[in-house]
Amino acid sequence: MTSSQQVLLSPAELSYLHSSLSLTPPIRPDGRSPTQYRPLSAETGILPGTNGSARICFADGTEAIVGVKAEVEKTKRKWDDDAVYTENSHNDDEEQQQDGRGEASNGNGNSDWVELTVEIPGYRDDDPSTVFLAQMLSEALLADGGFIKKLRINRRFHWKLYLDILLISPPLSYPLPLLSLTTHLALLATRLPRLKSEGDEDPFFDDDWAAAPYLYSRNPTTKRIAERPPVTLLVMAVGGNIIFDPSKEELAVADVALAVSIGDATTSQRSQGEDDRMDVDSGNSGGRNLKLLSIRTVDPPSRLTPPGVANAANSAYGHAQVVNTGANQKMPEARQTESEAVEGVWKPPRGGAKAIVMGALVQKVLVRGGVADEVLDALEGVDTS
Amino acid sequence: MPREAEPSLNEKNFVLQALQDSVRLDGRELEEYRPLALTFGDQYGVADVTLGKTRVLAKASAELTVPYADRPLDGIFNIATELSPMTSPAFEVNRPTETEVLVSRLLEKTVRRSGALDTESLCLVAGQKCWSIRVDVHVLSHDGNLIDAACFAVVAALRHFRKPDTSMEGGVLTVYTPAEREPVPLSWLHSPFCVTWSFFGEEGDIALLDATWMEEQVRSGSCTISLNKHGEICQIAKLGGVPVEAVSLLQCTNIALIKAKDLSSKLDNWLAEDAKRRDKGGLLAELSAENDRVPDM
Amino acid sequence: MADRRRINGPPGSTIPPVFEDDAGQPEIMNGKGRDRAPNTIRKMFLKTGVTPSASGSAYLEFEDSGKSGVSGLKLSCTVHGPRSLPRSSPFSPHIVLSAHIKYAPFATKQRRGYLRDPSERDLGTHLETALRGAIIADRWPKSGVDIIISIIEGDQDRETSKSQGDETWDMMNALSGCITVASAALADAGIDCVDTVAGGVAALVQDAGEDSTPRIVVDPIPSDHEKVLGACCIAYLPTRDEVTNLWFKGDLPASDAGLYTQLVENGMQASRNANRVLVECLGEATS
Amino acid sequence: MPLDTSTYSLALLRVDGRRWNELRRIHAQIRTQAAADGSSYLEMGHTKVMCVVTGPSEPGPRRGGAGGTGGGGGVGAGGQSKDAEVVVNIVIAGFSSVDRKRRGRGDKRTLEMQSTLANTLAATLHTHLFPHSQINISLHVLSQDGSLLAALINAATLACVDAGIPMTDYVTACTAGSTSTYAANDEGADPLLDLNHQEEQELPGLTVATLGDSDKVVALVCESRVQISRLEGMLAVGVDGCKQVREILDQVIKAQGQKMILDGTVDKGTGLNDMDLD
């Protein structure tokens, strides 16, 4: 139940799957290439009652809907600022200073400006797996400090953004990639009413929805979206292979599975600082400047699969455990090491993964022109206006 | 989760067959209630209702709190239902079963949503101070028809309840102890009562009132109708179950009205009796005794 | 569902205590709060067998930095099991691991409720992932083990204002402590593991303003630094040289792959350090 | 904001311009979801719900217990029963109403609706054909504008038909109300069909679900105070509305069936001969 529900595959099936995925190139049950995502159909703006919404259907039938709703909320003043503001006697210098400090801590204290809930049918909303998904998705959003800043209206008010992520279909595969992509699109389609008030007065907004600007602003001439919300990719390693967007069955034989969240570091972002480091890359144009936002290890269900029994150890097969019976009782170690050696007998992975393997997984995600780029390109093709 | 033992096939058939001939195991008529008894506690607002072997205790209490931000002019009124393992092993503490949810929803709709208690009268200082009235319903013994008994207990407890008197002078709120001032009753608008019909058979053509636990286990559907004596429906809940002809449902409603009027007059009598009992030797009696002495002096 | 079983605090918000600035404050603002070398972790105290009624237990304390009002990390862990699964649960060929992490209501500046909130549940999932890799799960079919960790003190600086300390970074430290203490308690309970797993945290911090070059430190205390750019928590098995859980958060440019690798390397280093304490402690307990 | 009903008596038109006995636009689709055994999408005016049916299948491990939405509204005794258990799970999306309101998993209104749906469907589905199994019905509310329970029942019926679970007949539902609030005890109050959110808030109303073409009431839920004399009128209008809804749902199912045969998804087998194909 940790990362997806129990897979009903026999040890023999698991072993077969594991070995076919370990081939070079791997043979996936659905015939995809290792880096290929499941085909999907997507649409945005399906719910007129929301600020932004999106729906994605993967080819295997899983479907998710995300709705974004925004409300104006009073910004809670920090205690030290409060003391100054209530007195109302501060001079401009002080204000300047306070402002600067407030901005600096913007990325920190305001993570409650975004509320993200995930609903998986059949799971309680406080189920560990649901909580894990929700935390992972919000972590990626919040790690991108620029996102929270977009929600600021003025010093006294901000937008509170509610993201409701619904998985419509039964959870046939680990829903992380689906939910992440749908959230990405919904955020792209999100518009907030145009602010008509100025400065720190109580905000009031333009009623004209057509004039409402997008949360992720578009370049007025090219219509291209300058900056994009983060995307979380699910990637796993089997044998020596790295496989993207694994299905439930593939995940069941994974050695290690990682959820990697990436963002798109764009030109606008670059101008705000970190120029020196970025300049090196801007020379070689094409592809994106990705940034790494978060990584989580997804507990692969493979550790919970039933082990196979080798013929040598199977008394039913005729090989009575004459040699082993005595030794086994005293030294269970002996049996373990023995069963490890037999080929074609499924054995759930034990221990962790080498740091190099994990590094390779991350590298594969981030590589220029790699899967992350492809996914982002594909999502760009979706009409979000 | 422990499960209630189901009646055996023989028992089920026996009950059903008897009902086909309009005979109930305890010899009642189909539309007859079991004997209903109500005792009030020493304190105000405690009502102990016995309906056959079903017994429900309701206790009303009041405390001062801050009103909800979105309803600054309303007091707070809550009904808390708890089905403890004492009632039946199928109920677990702090894990509401479906029965518990349905009972509390029905009570909520019957008493709270129908506006039986005037919540605006509970507000003392707008947005700052209000009374929070809470009724705790404890089921002591469960032998069917929990809803009717619980609803009767809640209404009785609330009508019997007295909250401390308060006064407002120049922005200072004073709450008086019972010794200083006689507590005051709640502002009560109407008394709704639940009447539950149980339907039996594949067609749902046998309908009876006040089912026992055995009958509840073999019934194929039920419908709870809440009414007050003025002929106002407060709530109807037929939550699925066997399909019943619309016309017979209307008939059921009309009979339910008669029963509700009956329950209403019973409660009025009991409340009047209790008031009389309390008057003797109470604060009022003392006062009147002093008055008597005045001419002698 | 509201918590009906306990008497909770009065409704409405309470303001955490705020103390006058003292001499320690300017130091923090200058970003010179850290007095350890970048690659050393804080001293820690670990003891197993502290709860007699549990199958295994351990207590872990991180040294506090000596500043007034700064609490260290104090964790207590109990392990119950291996024990048979409840009759209603389905057959499992492995030991069923369940980890509960709960902050004590007084462990952090903001009072925590009695019911676990999402961040605590999330920590529990991380811990489960970290431990599941270490346990030899198929030695104990049809059984379960419960790991319960109370965070008694949450490694927070009471002097910084609420907005400054970011709880999300504190959680990394808490998790690394939880992994280490749970590993000790598991060993104390006699549950077979492939190796002792210990947690380590490394962070990329900026100390002197926006333009300074970021550096990597292990076992960071977020309030010591001006800005934390990214951090990772690693659960590491030293003898097998394997990572069972990796949790990274931050904002790193993808072009600089070295940065990520360095962070992980440092995290593993921190974990190795913690592991030495762990092994020593277990050795003491058995001798 | 009180609903202005004063103009009703003049023009006999409701706030959204309907007459007293008019349904809102009902748009329904079945087989919207490839991965599920049965699925449907239903709009009644601005109330939009989706339904996904899985099963009848082997009951999964009990998650969450009776309190959570996971196992909410279970009818039948699960694995030990000789009837299939109907488990209903309703997710009311946070963005479905105008003001975002989050309903926790313990929300009693949702639990009650789950239980109502489970009991309603259990009475209609032939659950005795699937002993020791479970029928999972999960419903998602995407947008609410009144008559929510009715929309949920209709969507669930469609999805069950799509899943091919044998059932007695369609269970269709709709709401009925009465002009003027309960306080005004005027006898001339007219019944109304299919309430929207505004009317539901201000006027007395009830939800009624009937079985097929008959007058048999499977579920009847009234949550507002109303004079007993007005019940008959409201019920009659409601039952009549259910029959109209049944016609619409029937057309949806038949259209989909026709499409499937024309597409060659299913053979025009013996069982389908009697179907009109023109």
Side-chain angles (χ1 to χ4, degrees), chain C residues 2-11 111 113-114:
Chain C
D3 184 7
R4 294 191 297 178
R5 311 192 71 188
R6 276 159 289 251
I7 298 169
N8 281 301
R111 182 185 179 273
Y114 286 105

Side-chain angles (χ1 to χ4, degrees), chain B:
Chain B
M1 190 175 67
R3 200 187 293 279
E4 192 86 38
E6 271 188 43
S8 68
L9 217 54
N10 284 344
E11 279 178 298
K12 278 186 189 169
N13 287 340
F14 180 63
V15 174
L16 285 175
Q17 208 124 45
L19 283 175
Q20 295 285 351
D21 304 328
S22 300
V23 174
R24 290 172 78 168
L25 291 195
D26 46 10
R28 277 184 288 155
E29 295 292 313
L30 290 185
E31 288 157 16
E32 190 182 334
Y33 264 76
R34 285 171 287 177
L36 180 71
L38 169 68
T39 35
F40 291 109
D42 290 338
Q43 279 176 300
Y44 282 120
V46 179
D48 183 347
V49 171
T50 344
L51 181 67
K53 281 184 198 158
T54 298
R55 188 169 167 201
V56 180
L57 180 88
K59 184 178 186 314
S61 52
E63 67 172 332
L64 278 177
T65 49
V66 186
Y68 294 127
D70 51 337
R71 325 210 64 169
L73 294 174
D74 279 348
I76 300 170
F77 173 40
N78 275 318
I79 302 174
T81 332
E82 193 133 345
L83 298 181
S84 66
M86 183 168 80
T87 320
S88 149
F91 300 131
E92 272 178 78
V93 179
N94 221 21
R95 190 190 266 186
T97 55
E98 200 182 316
T99 338
E100 183 171 345
V101 169
L102 293 184
V103 168
S104 79
R105 263 295 283 178
L106 269 172
L107 290 178
E108 168 114 6
K109 284 194 284 189
T110 307
V111 184
R112 217 164 79 110
R113 281 188 51 133
S114 74
L117 180 68
D118 178 16
T119 47
E120 274 178 42
S121 72
L122 297 174
C123 182
L124 298 169
V125 185
Q128 287 173 27
K129 278 278 174 278
C130 71
W131 284 110
S132 161
I133 305 290
R134 175 190 165 109
V135 189
D136 288 279
V137 181
H138 297 275
V139 178
L140 304 178
S141 156
H142 179 16
D143 187 33
N145 208 9
L146 214 54
I147 291 168
D148 294 9
C151 177
F152 192 80
V154 168
V155 172
L158 283 168
R159 286 187 60 184
H160 187 247
F161 183 63
R162 303 281 186 274
K163 67 174 197 291
D165 199 8
T166 53
S167 72
M168 212 31 208
E169 264 175 55
V172 178
L173 179 74
T174 322
V175 180
Y176 298 100
T177 60
E180 287 169 333
R181 276 197 198 179
E182 185 71 358
V184 290
L186 300 169
S187 153
W188 191 251
L189 300 178
H190 69 111
S191 300
F193 296 96
C194 288
V195 178
T196 303
W197 287 91
S198 300
F199 302 104
F200 293 85
E202 288 287 296
E203 299 293 312
D205 39 6
I206 307 167
L208 56 82
L209 281 174
D210 189 25
T212 61
W213 177 229
M214 171 62 85
E215 285 163 341
E216 276 189 8
Q217 279 176 304
V218 299
R219 76 181 171 192
S220 43
S222 73
C223 176
T224 303
I225 304 163
S226 309
L227 305 117
N228 59 21
K229 65 176 176 191
H230 312 298
E232 285 169 341
I233 295 168
C234 298
Q235 172 276 128
I236 302 177
K238 183 187 185 309
L239 309 176
V242 70
V244 176
E245 287 289 337
V247 183
S248 42
L249 271 179
L250 286 174
Q251 264 169 5
C252 288
T253 321
N254 289 328
I255 299 169
L257 178 60
I258 301 169
K259 293 290 168 192
K261 282 181 177 165
D262 186 32
L263 289 170
S264 181
S265 62
K266 272 185 184 161
L267 179 59
D268 287 346
N269 286 340
W270 273 316
L271 280 167
E273 263 174 44
D274 184 70
K276 224 185 273 171
R277 188 172 61 80
R278 273 168 201 273
D279 251 357
K280 253 184 276 168
L283 192 64
L284 284 177
E286 261 174 49
L287 289 173
S288 61
E290 265 174 24
N291 288 344
D292 279 347
R293 250 177 269 130
V294 174
D296 293 345
M297 281 167 76

Side-chain angles (χ1 to χ4, degrees), chain A residues 64 91 195 250 278 290 299:
Chain A
N91 55 33
L195 189 66
E250 289 166 335
M278 288 303 191
L290 299 176
D299 198 11

Side-chain angles (χ1 to χ4, degrees), chain D residues 12-258:
Chain D
L12 296 179
L13 289 175
R14 291 150 69 177
V15 273
D16 48 7
R18 282 182 291 154
R19 305 234 173 239
W20 65 275
N21 62 347
E22 254 180 284
L23 286 172
R24 288 177 289 175
R25 189 182 83 102
I26 294 183
H27 168 75
Q29 270 175 281
I30 60 168
R31 200 147 291 198
T32 52
Q33 232 260 298
D37 292 323
S39 53
S40 66
Y41 172 74
L42 181 102
E43 286 178 24
M44 283 176 87
H46 289 299
T47 302
K48 297 173 185 172
V49 294
M50 284 182 111
C51 179
V52 171
V53 173
T54 351
S57 58
E58 190 183 351
R62 280 225 152 259
R63 295 190 212 99
T69 42
V75 169
Q80 294 138 41
S81 165
K82 60 186 195 348
D83 288 350
E85 183 184 16
V86 181
V87 176
V88 178
N89 186 11
I90 300 176
V91 175
I92 301 184
F95 49 75
S96 60
S97 47
V98 178
D99 296 314
R100 186 186 185 279
K101 194 178 170 203
R102 169 124 180 85
R103 297 188 177 280
R105 90 199 124 90
D107 182 62
K108 285 188 178 158
R109 197 181 137 224
T110 316
L111 290 179
E112 187 190 44
M113 283 203 288
Q114 286 181 359
S115 158
T116 308
L117 263 163
N119 284 309
T120 304
L121 292 168
T124 324
L125 299 172
H126 289 281
T127 50
H128 63 274
L129 296 175
F130 309 101
H132 312 294
S133 47
Q134 200 178 43
I135 300 169
N136 262 306
I137 299 174
S138 94
L139 288 141
H140 295 263
V141 180
L142 302 180
S143 166
Q144 312 184 51
D145 184 28
S147 307
L148 180 60
L149 180 62
L152 290 172
I153 292 176
N154 294 334
T157 303
L158 282 179
C160 285
V161 171
D162 184 30
I165 303 169
M167 55 204 288
T168 324
D169 205 334
Y170 292 98
V171 191
T172 51
C174 77
T175 51
S178 180
T179 51
S180 80
T181 52
Y182 69 89
N185 187 13
D186 65 84
E187 289 300 315
D190 278 331
L192 298 174
L193 182 65
D194 195 14
L195 305 182
N196 62 26
H197 178 71
Q198 241 184 332
E199 290 168 331
E200 210 167 55
Q201 290 288 306
E202 296 293 329
L203 303 176
L206 51 80
T207 302
V208 56
T210 60
L211 184 66
D213 244 347
S214 68
D215 283 348
K216 291 198 158 188
V217 177
V218 190
L220 174 65
V221 181
C222 167
E223 300 192 337
S224 42
R225 210 161 129 193
V226 62
Q227 278 291 330
I228 195 165
S229 52
R230 282 198 235 159
L231 179 67
E232 188 175 347
M234 282 159 62
L235 197 57
V237 170
V239 168
D240 189 57
C242 289
K243 285 177 189 162
Q244 292 183 41
V245 174
R246 197 198 93 99
E247 283 306 307
I248 296 169
L249 298 192
D250 194 44
Q251 274 162 20
V252 170
I253 300 271
K254 283 190 173 145
Q256 177 71 21
Q258 242 171 50

Side-chain angles (χ1 to χ4, degrees), chain A residues 1 5 8 46-50 55 57 59-63 65-69 71 115 117-127 162-170 172, chain D residues 32-36 46 48 50-52 54 58 61-65 67-71 89 91-105 138 140-143:
Chain A
M1 234 208 286
Q5 71 276 67
L8 296 170
I46 49 163
L47 301 164
T50 58
R55 167 173 169 265
C57 276
D60 64 355
T62 50
E63 179 182 5
I65 290 184
V66 172
V68 182
K69 245 177 143 67
E71 283 172 13
E115 199 178 302
T117 49
V118 175
E119 292 274 6
I120 310 285
Y123 286 83
R124 291 160 59 129
D125 53 5
D126 59 354
D127 190 274
Y162 295 96
L163 281 105
D164 290 285
I165 303 174
L166 309 185
L167 184 69
I168 301 290
S169 58
L172 294 176
Chain D
T32 52
Q33 232 260 298
H46 289 299
K48 297 173 185 172
M50 284 182 111
C51 179
V52 171
T54 351
E58 190 183 351
R62 280 225 152 259
R63 295 190 212 99
T69 42
N89 186 11
V91 175
I92 301 184
F95 49 75
S96 60
S97 47
V98 178
D99 296 314
R100 186 186 185 279
K101 194 178 170 203
R102 169 124 180 85
R103 297 188 177 280
R105 90 199 124 90
S138 94
H140 295 263
V141 180
L142 302 180
S143 166

